[in-house]
Amino acid sequence: MAPSFDKVDTLSINTIRLLAVDATIKANSGHPGAPMGLAPVSHVLFNKFMTFNPKNPKFMNRDRFVLSNGHGCMLLYALLHLYGYDLSLDDLKNFRQLGSKTPGHPEAADTPGVEVTTGPLGQGVSNAVGLAIAEAHCAARFNKPGYELFNNYTYSIMGDGCVMEGVASEACSTAGHLQLGNLIVFYDDNHISIDGDTDQALTEDVLKRYEAYGWHTVWVKDGDHDLAGIAAAIEEAQSVKDKPSIIKVTTTIGFGSKLQGTHGVHGNPLKKDDAAGVKELFGFDPNESFVVPQEVYDLAAKQAAAGAAAEEAWNQLFAKYASDYPELAADLKLRIENKLPEGWEKSLPVYTTSDPAIASRKLSETVLNKICDVVPGLIGGSADLTGSNFTRWKTAVDFQPPSTGFGEYSGRYIRYGVREHSMGAIMNGLAAYGGLIPFGGTFLNFVSYAAGAVRLSALSDVRVIWVATHDSIGLGEDGPTHQPIETLAHFRALPNIMVWRPADGNETSAAYYKALTETHTPSILALSRQNLPQLEGSSIEKAIKGGYVLKEVENADVTIVSTGSEVYLSLEATQILESKGLKARLVSLPDWLTFDKQSEEYKLSVFPDGHPILSVEVMTTLGWQKYSHEQFGINRFGASGPYLQVYKKFGFTPEGIAERAEKTIEFWKGIPLRSPIRRAFTQVE
């Protein structure tokens, strides 16, 4: 039965508008225009269609809502408050204030009910694609006759800015191919961006583009008033099971304001006289602020209560399911609790020096083959580089619409195509859904294409794993266009992300151990194309500290610290130094973030006072100053050629490293040295 609407619905819509007006005025910043235009569609969606429980924002089968155009965040905050999430009227009054639950753009870690962190345009709708993939996969894996545990929708609102962003185009193309009928996106067609009328930059037929992607399209021409039309469009979209749907809703930005329909209401609070006029227009007292009529709360509470009842019914269904399907229920329970299967880590391979030299990308493949069947929540893929990244394990089944003949929705291997940026954003959505641990493969250099999504992974505290192969000039002939120089420095500078560059098999296993057990931190695993020997003295237990002494000597003249493929070269350099009567320690430092979290005592045991420290890495030297007195790296682009020749060209041979170590010893001779680890004060963390 189609929903009906009355004056309380209109009152609720106007209340949402005015909460946005009041909050942005009080903050003296923000975007009132989008919430004022989108209040009707958001009210219809939340009050008539969505299933959610504000008392348990993590209810597994809730409908997901993503505000992709995060500059309209007061729309979302107002809705969360009205429907009873842990967001008070005072929280709305503290919009954009330091330490509040209502930051300037939605942040999942700060605000109950916010599914993903959005703000950078295009990211949210791309996250929504990941959320929809997650539901389709979980439904295919866990649903059984009479037990429809997963049937939620993912809804998203995006604006013209998201439509213009390339990452959204990548992700929506993927969604169309995957036939995600559980994904419904509202396109806020208000014809305004920050610069003014979108006709200055966007004149294509957006619905035709999405039709070409394989989406079902609907147009609501009067999004300001036609509540029944909005509801009918949602019902139509829900009826289409083999395509995602985009509902173009033509709205008026800043509806009711003197500046409605202009970019002047996009990113600035309303003037006091304008705000007063809007309140009078909507039947509110112009002298009052943050007013919520009781009947608005009551209407919202009915929908929230229905959501709570839906969760209770789900819990009862799951209890019966556990009796009939105990193994699947146990798996799902672990996932909901964000736990890994007991003893999974015993599957991580362990190596000795008698094992052959192997490229760390192949070592990564071995780990995946060992753990993917043991950790069924892992869901992987590659940006069209499966044969180079070695990300597809032996028993993998592709995640594909069954109609394509390429796989099943129960499959756990995603063919992202040449879409690195959307792969990162989709993985953020997969991780945010719950119960899944996404990993994706590409070349390390091309993780830079996805930097926007990687940054949001770190900010969102989600467990996402990048399998980033071809990690250095060691990739050889492909040359400087593909050889990372600045990439590790960039991502090491990013807060809350582990950047692992393992030197051998044990360190690769350690990297995966940390990537899976650190539930609120994403990881980049930088992996070699060339073979690396198994190192004496390495172990998973040592490497999970992020850095450790691989070779210890007393009364050392120098410590060499290195990562990845340069560690074994540095080890050979220590032997050359020994032949000259010089004593050299060797430290492997596969992940800076993990090492920096160790105790001061441990860090000083790795990097002690009393002698110089030389860093060796075939990347920029930027950042190494916090661990070393001297740095040997590459502060220019690489070169094309066989990798051994390229390494030799830049001096990265045992002899070349030994030569730099000798110069380091000579330069610092007789100078009392303190460890670079020592600091006068602690950095803000």
Side-chain angles (χ1 to χ4, degrees):
M1 180 183 295
S4 59
F5 300 93
D6 59 24
K7 63 181 182 180
V8 182
D9 293 288
T10 301
L11 185 62
S12 298
I13 290 166
N14 292 332
T15 298
I16 294 168
R17 288 170 167 153
L18 294 180
L19 286 174
V21 168
D22 288 337
T24 51
I25 288 175
K26 188 172 187 301
N28 196 30
S29 72
H31 303 77
M36 295 172 75
L38 286 167
V41 68
S42 64
H43 169 74
V44 173
L45 177 63
F46 268 68
N47 196 257
K48 311 301 181 184
F49 289 93
M50 282 185 62
T51 298
F52 52 87
N53 182 10
K55 302 306 179 187
N56 179 17
K58 297 300 183 182
F59 164 40
M60 197 65 184
N61 196 40
R62 69 191 181 278
D63 289 328
R64 270 68 168 180
F65 174 76
V66 177
L67 186 68
S68 188
N69 52 339
H71 51 253
C73 57
M74 265 311 304
L75 173 73
L76 179 54
Y77 296 153
L79 289 163
L80 295 176
H81 167 69
L82 294 179
Y83 284 88
Y85 285 84
D86 186 17
L87 204 66
S88 68
L89 208 55
D90 283 340
D91 290 322
L92 301 191
K93 294 176 182 178
N94 288 325
F95 175 52
R96 291 195 164 202
Q97 301 306 302
L98 186 64
S100 74
K101 292 182 183 179
T102 49
H105 291 89
E107 296 183 34
D110 286 355
T111 311
V114 172
E115 299 287 355
V116 293
T117 299
T118 59
L121 296 178
Q123 295 290 335
V125 69
S126 304
N127 298 162
V129 174
L131 289 165
I133 291 173
E135 188 281 333
H137 171 73
C138 288
R141 174 167 174 77
F142 293 107
N143 287 2
K144 296 295 179 184
Y147 293 104
E148 196 172 19
L149 295 178
F150 291 92
N151 59 8
N152 71 275
Y153 286 95
T154 294
Y155 300 97
S156 181
I157 293 178
M158 68 175 180
D160 291 300
C162 296
V163 166
M164 288 187 263
E165 282 286 359
V167 63
S169 299
E170 292 179 21
C172 291
S173 173
T174 299
H177 165 74
L178 293 175
Q179 302 175 20
L180 299 174
N182 57 355
L183 174 62
I184 299 174
V185 173
F186 299 90
Y187 164 36
D188 179 20
D189 173 43
N190 63 31
H191 286 279
I192 293 295
S193 66
I194 291 176
D195 274 2
D197 196 303
T198 54
D199 281 346
Q200 299 174 103
L202 180 70
T203 51
E204 70 206 38
D205 187 327
V206 173
L207 290 190
K208 287 291 186 184
R209 171 150 66 93
Y210 273 75
E211 186 179 333
Y213 288 156
W215 287 54
H216 174 71
T217 64
V218 191
W219 184 11
V220 179
K221 295 183 179 180
D222 183 5
D224 297 329
H225 306 94
D226 189 5
L227 305 187
I230 294 169
I234 297 172
E235 289 177 330
E236 180 181 332
Q238 289 180 338
S239 72
V240 178
K241 304 301 183 184
D242 61 348
K243 293 181 180 181
S245 292
I246 181 170
I247 302 173
K248 175 181 173 179
V249 186
T250 299
T251 67
T252 302
I253 191 170
F255 182 85
S257 163
K258 293 178 181 179
L259 299 175
Q260 71 174 31
T262 73
H263 72 285
V265 76
H266 179 281
N268 299 295
L270 271 59
K271 303 296 184 183
K272 288 186 177 180
D273 64 324
D274 194 3
V278 171
K279 291 178 181 180
E280 287 184 354
L281 177 67
F282 294 151
F284 284 67
D285 187 335
N287 297 311
E288 294 182 351
S289 300
F290 295 98
V291 174
V292 180
Q294 186 59 47
E295 53 262 55
V296 172
Y297 279 131
D298 292 343
L299 182 63
K302 290 180 182 178
Q303 186 70 4
E311 181 179 10
E312 179 58 31
W314 190 93
N315 290 337
Q316 293 175 10
L317 183 67
F318 182 68
K320 296 178 182 178
Y321 179 86
S323 177
D324 288 349
Y325 301 97
E327 291 184 4
L328 284 173
D331 177 20
L332 180 54
K333 186 173 185 292
L334 275 180
R335 297 187 192 207
I336 292 173
E337 295 173 351
N338 204 21
K339 295 179 180 178
L340 295 168
E342 186 175 355
W344 75 272
E345 70 279 2
K346 296 175 183 176
S347 298
L348 291 169
V350 177
Y351 297 85
T352 68
T353 54
S354 62
D355 291 309
I358 307 173
S360 55
R361 62 173 175 155
K362 289 292 290 181
L363 294 165
S364 167
E365 180 185 40
T366 300
V367 173
L368 292 174
N369 274 309
K370 294 284 188 181
I371 68 172
C372 278
D373 290 335
V374 179
V375 184
L378 280 165
I379 183 166
S382 172
D384 199 50
L385 287 169
T386 297
S388 295
N389 302 144
F390 299 129
T391 39
R392 195 174 191 274
W393 61 105
K394 293 177 182 177
T395 60
V397 174
D398 281 11
F399 176 88
Q400 293 276 5
S403 63
T404 65
F406 293 128
E408 302 288 339
Y409 281 143
S410 59
R412 293 191 286 142
Y413 193 78
I414 301 172
R415 305 284 183 169
Y416 285 102
V418 189
R419 304 184 184 99
E420 294 88 355
H421 197 176
S422 69
M423 178 172 71
I426 288 170
M427 288 198 293
N428 287 344
L430 286 165
Y433 188 85
L436 296 172
I437 305 171
F439 66 89
T442 186
F443 289 179
L444 175 60
N445 203 46
F446 301 143
V447 180
S448 296
Y449 271 163
V454 175
R455 189 174 191 276
L456 287 179
S457 299
L459 181 59
S460 304
D461 299 341
V462 293
R463 179 173 44 184
V464 166
I465 304 169
W466 285 86
V467 180
T469 67
H470 296 64
D471 72 335
S472 73
I473 59 170
L475 63 85
E477 291 85 351
D478 279 339
T481 60
H482 286 51
Q483 293 166 349
I485 297 295
E486 80 294 348
T487 312
L488 289 186
H490 171 192
F491 291 117
R492 284 168 174 163
L494 189 63
N496 189 41
I497 186 166
M498 296 182 287
V499 182
W500 288 88
R501 190 167 183 246
D504 71 351
N506 291 328
E507 290 193 6
T508 303
S509 291
Y512 271 100
Y513 177 86
K514 292 294 288 185
L516 266 66
T517 56
E518 294 290 336
T519 57
H520 298 293
T521 304
S523 305
I524 296 173
L525 277 55
L527 305 169
S528 72
R529 181 191 185 195
Q530 72 271 35
N531 289 340
L532 306 179
Q534 311 308 324
L535 300 170
E536 183 176 357
S538 78
S539 71
I540 296 174
E541 292 74 22
K542 292 178 182 177
I544 60 174
K545 294 183 176 181
Y548 63 100
V549 179
L550 187 68
K551 180 180 179 180
E552 185 65 275
V553 296
E554 293 184 4
N555 302 315
D557 297 298
V558 68
T559 289
I560 300 174
V561 55
S562 191
T563 73
S565 49
E566 290 76 74
V567 174
Y568 84 92
L569 297 175
S570 297
L571 181 60
E572 293 182 14
T574 66
Q575 295 165 0
I576 294 173
L577 292 169
E578 287 172 4
S579 71
K580 297 181 178 183
L582 298 171
K583 297 180 179 180
R585 301 168 74 248
L586 178 60
V587 169
S588 179
L589 195 68
D591 177 54
W592 294 13
L593 180 69
T594 302
F595 179 76
D596 288 348
K597 291 180 178 179
Q598 305 305 312
S599 69
E600 192 77 2
E601 181 182 12
Y602 177 77
K603 288 186 287 188
L604 285 171
S605 74
V606 175
F607 295 112
D609 300 322
H611 62 258
I613 300 169
L614 168 68
S615 66
V616 177
E617 188 177 58
V618 289
M619 311 279 176
T620 178
T621 58
L622 183 67
W624 274 106
Q625 292 78 6
K626 71 175 182 175
Y627 302 113
S628 62
H629 302 95
E630 298 287 345
Q631 300 82 38
F632 179 29
I634 302 176
N635 292 317
R636 51 152 286 181
F637 290 111
S640 178
Y643 88 89
L644 289 175
Q645 294 179 20
V646 176
Y647 263 69
K648 186 175 181 180
K649 170 183 172 61
F650 291 109
F652 286 91
T653 62
E655 295 78 12
I657 295 169
E659 178 185 347
R660 269 75 175 182
E662 287 187 73
K663 289 181 178 179
T664 298
I665 294 168
E666 181 62 29
F667 181 84
W668 292 97
K669 185 180 292 184
I671 301 175
L673 285 174
R674 291 165 62 86
S675 170
I677 293 295
R678 295 189 184 276
R679 293 287 185 272
F681 58 89
T682 302
Q683 298 299 317
V684 175
E685 295 179 356

